[in-house]
Amino acid sequence: MLARFVEQDKEIKRLFYRKIKEKEEREKQKHLDKISEGFLGWFLEPIADVAYTWRRISEKEQGSSGENSVGWALHLWLPGDAVIVNDLVLEVEPDEFIQVDHLVLNTNGIFVLETKSWDGVFLGTKDKWRMKQGNKWIEVQSPTKQNERHVKLFKKWLEENLSNLYEKVKEHIYPIVVFKRAKWIKAKDCSMPVVIGGMEAVREIRKVKGENISEQDINLIIEAVKNAKPLDHEEWRKKYSEEKEKNEGKYQVTTGKTSTGKMYVRIVGKKKDAEKVAEEYRKQNYTISEIRQDKKDKSAWFFIILE
């Protein structure tokens, strides 16, 4: 039995693409405005317009064929309980979009695949990537950092939309970068596996063992991403403004012992919160030290109980 494909709602996806296009147009205009303000701006602006548009088109065309071939390899060679969502688009914050080439879900885990159809020879060291051109190594955009961002934002989206489920699955989300056309790649000390072609991606997915995610949870995630809509920016800002107001004034208090055996009280919050806690201890007839700020965490304060 083959792995199954699942698609996002087509109408919703059109809305996503329209919003992304509007964002790109705004970014393009900002780019052109900067050029037009400079010396010879009137001359360079039309050239920059063409170059910017060509670059965006080229980036999209480079990925498409590779994504398709990798998607079919996943479909043919992963087990029947695996679910594949190709070209997943989500808006995590206003105008903060992620476009995941392939999201693979099975009981072993959730796999976020970034596909690159780049030709040539590539070397990645600690998430910094270079491509060989002639006898030189030229720095290129890091696909591992790009996918690291995708995973971070996908986790944030899960936390926002499926908060109870998120805690169960967050440790079982795995990123993979797939080069489709590269002649040779070497990845050293990168934050995720980097492979060539769909079959190697399948082997990487199969390396993860265990029943880590239930089928019920997989179905919940699938339904959520299928019907995920672009954000209502006004509603989003209103919600987070209310949450911010609600959380203001809250602080955390912990106690413990120093290396010399004295009891300390640690407060994460503002200094006035620490002063409030200190005053409560004084009312209970404790003698305490002065309040000090934690050297490493500037949002934390502490005092020692002397008697």
Side-chain angles (χ1 to χ4, degrees), residues 34-141:
K34 284 183 181 178
I35 290 172
S36 64
E37 290 169 4
F39 181 65
L40 290 180
W42 61 271
F43 175 71
L44 294 174
E45 187 173 353
I47 300 171
D49 189 358
V50 172
Y52 185 92
T53 304
W54 180 86
R55 187 171 72 250
R56 298 297 299 182
I57 292 169
S58 176
E59 286 169 359
K60 290 173 184 176
E61 288 179 347
Q62 271 192 331
S64 60
S65 61
E67 289 168 22
N68 291 338
S69 62
V70 171
W72 280 107
L74 297 171
H75 172 60
L76 292 171
W77 299 107
L78 284 175
D81 65 345
V83 183
I84 305 157
V85 186
N86 294 321
D87 189 26
L88 171 65
V89 189
L90 299 170
E91 187 177 15
V92 184
E93 295 179 4
D95 283 336
E96 186 76 78
F97 298 94
I98 52 171
Q99 291 178 269
V100 176
D101 293 335
H102 309 285
L103 183 73
V104 178
L105 303 97
N106 62 18
T107 54
N108 295 351
I110 300 169
F111 302 86
V112 180
L113 276 63
E114 173 68 22
T115 300
K116 292 298 180 189
S117 293
W118 296 349
D119 292 312
V121 174
F122 298 88
L123 178 63
T125 306
K126 294 182 179 179
D127 292 325
K128 291 183 179 180
W129 283 83
R130 293 176 293 165
M131 175 183 182
K132 195 167 187 181
Q133 290 187 354
N135 294 322
K136 295 181 179 180
W137 288 94
I138 308 299
E139 190 170 339
V140 295
Q141 181 188 30

Side-chain angles (χ1 to χ4, degrees), residues 254-266 302-305:
T254 55
T255 60
K257 287 189 176 181
T258 67
S259 57
T260 57
K262 291 183 178 179
M263 185 177 174
Y264 69 82
V265 180
R266 187 173 187 270
F302 70 92
F303 56 83
I304 306 294
I305 296 179

Side-chain angles (χ1 to χ4, degrees), residues 148-270:
E148 200 174 56
R149 172 185 172 271
H150 287 168
V151 171
K152 181 182 176 182
L153 290 175
F154 179 66
K155 284 182 176 181
K156 186 172 183 179
W157 183 88
L158 278 178
E159 189 175 14
E160 293 289 331
N161 293 275
L162 296 165
S163 56
N164 293 333
L165 186 150
Y166 170 73
E167 290 300 322
K168 292 192 283 181
V169 305
K170 66 180 181 181
E171 299 302 323
H172 305 292
I173 300 174
Y174 308 97
I176 302 172
V177 169
V178 187
F179 282 81
K180 171 57 182 151
R181 298 176 185 167
K183 295 179 178 66
W184 179 89
I185 59 170
K186 184 175 181 181
K188 183 180 179 183
D189 298 328
C190 286
S191 57
M192 65 194 67
V194 181
V195 300
I196 297 179
M199 284 302 297
E200 285 194 21
V202 170
R203 281 194 285 271
E204 200 62 45
I205 290 169
R206 285 180 177 273
K207 284 182 183 178
V208 179
K209 305 297 183 182
E211 297 290 317
N212 300 315
I213 303 174
S214 71
E215 288 187 17
Q216 182 181 2
D217 289 343
I218 289 171
N219 290 332
L220 284 172
I221 295 170
I222 291 298
E223 285 305 309
V225 299
K226 271 172 61 178
N227 300 297
K229 295 180 181 178
L231 297 175
D232 181 319
H233 292 190
E234 189 175 335
E235 283 295 319
W236 187 92
R237 291 189 181 97
K238 182 181 176 183
K239 175 186 172 184
Y240 280 88
S241 176
E242 289 173 352
E243 286 187 2
K244 187 178 177 182
E245 287 178 12
K246 193 188 297 181
N247 289 326
E248 279 184 359
K250 289 187 177 180
Y251 55 89
Q252 295 178 335
V253 180
T254 55
T255 60
K257 287 189 176 181
T258 67
S259 57
T260 57
K262 291 183 178 179
M263 185 177 174
Y264 69 82
V265 180
R266 187 173 187 270
I267 304 96
V268 177
K270 297 177 180 178

